[in-house]
Amino acid sequence: LRNQMLADLRMERSKEITRYLMDEMIAGCEYEYDEAEMEQYIRSAEEEMAMQPDLDELGYSPEELRQAIAGQAKQLWMAEAFCKAHGIAIDEADVTMQADQMQEMMSLMGEPVPDREALLEQARQDAYLTGLFTYIDNIIEQKMGGSYGDR
């Protein structure tokens, strides 16, 4: 039990460090974007989220929701720029496979399926985020001396 508790604590600390680093990285970046396009993106995301039955349970005000949507876009831009700057390549074959899986799952669940380009873009964004989080996790693991108590 003691080892499990220590591993859980180590994992929670790692998550806190990751959140802190992400917040700092996002805040430290400069973003150039078309305000009208961002507004359109936010409205589209708000409409999509409004269809979710449990949205009210999250307790976000409309302004907090808008800020979260814009923050997510900035996080994706930062992750892509970080990966490119650090030579972290994404596997386009894996991106295609992930998009195919998303399409299949949505079809099986009876959900509306976005067009192919939207699925590929989402899978590509996920790949950049994975690359960034893997990079951060490796640094944390080195600094903390092991991976969640298994070393």
Side-chain angles (χ1 to χ4, degrees):
L1 287 174
R2 181 178 184 273
N3 286 342
Q4 184 61 47
M5 287 176 61
L6 289 173
D8 290 347
L9 180 60
R10 181 182 216 89
M11 186 169 60
E12 288 305 313
R13 293 288 186 254
S14 178
K15 289 178 185 178
E16 290 172 14
I17 293 167
T18 300
R19 278 190 294 273
Y20 173 78
L21 289 173
M22 288 297 292
D23 289 346
E24 290 297 308
M25 291 170 73
I26 291 168
C29 288
E30 292 183 23
Y31 303 93
E32 291 183 25
Y33 55 90
D34 183 293
E35 292 287 336
E37 284 182 29
M38 177 61 89
E39 184 61 30
Q40 181 182 2
Y41 172 77
I42 291 171
R43 282 191 184 137
S44 174
E46 285 175 322
E47 290 170 8
E48 193 174 306
M49 292 181 81
M51 292 186 269
Q52 302 297 323
D54 57 354
L55 179 63
D56 292 335
E57 294 174 15
L58 296 176
Y60 286 113
S61 71
E63 185 54 34
E64 288 172 326
L65 184 59
R66 293 177 65 74
Q67 289 175 354
I69 293 167
Q72 183 180 27
K74 290 177 180 180
Q75 181 183 44
L76 293 170
W77 297 334
M78 185 273 302
E80 181 178 353
F82 183 91
C83 287
K84 288 179 178 179
H86 287 82
I88 301 170
I90 61 168
D91 183 345
E92 284 295 328
D94 188 53
V95 166
T96 300
M97 184 182 73
Q98 293 298 324
D100 291 343
Q101 287 177 351
M102 282 189 279
Q103 182 177 16
E104 182 179 359
M105 288 299 293
M106 292 172 136
S107 294
L108 290 172
M109 301 289 287
E111 297 177 14
V113 179
D115 67 24
R116 184 79 177 146
E117 275 308 307
L119 289 170
L120 286 168
E121 182 60 25
Q122 184 177 351
R124 197 170 286 116
Q125 290 170 346
D126 290 347
Y128 283 123
L129 284 170
T130 298
L132 172 62
F133 286 129
T134 300
Y135 187 93
I136 290 171
D137 287 346
N138 287 337
I139 291 173
I140 293 170
E141 183 178 325
Q142 289 172 2
K143 299 291 183 185
M144 291 177 76
S147 177
Y148 308 122
D150 64 353
R151 288 192 202 155

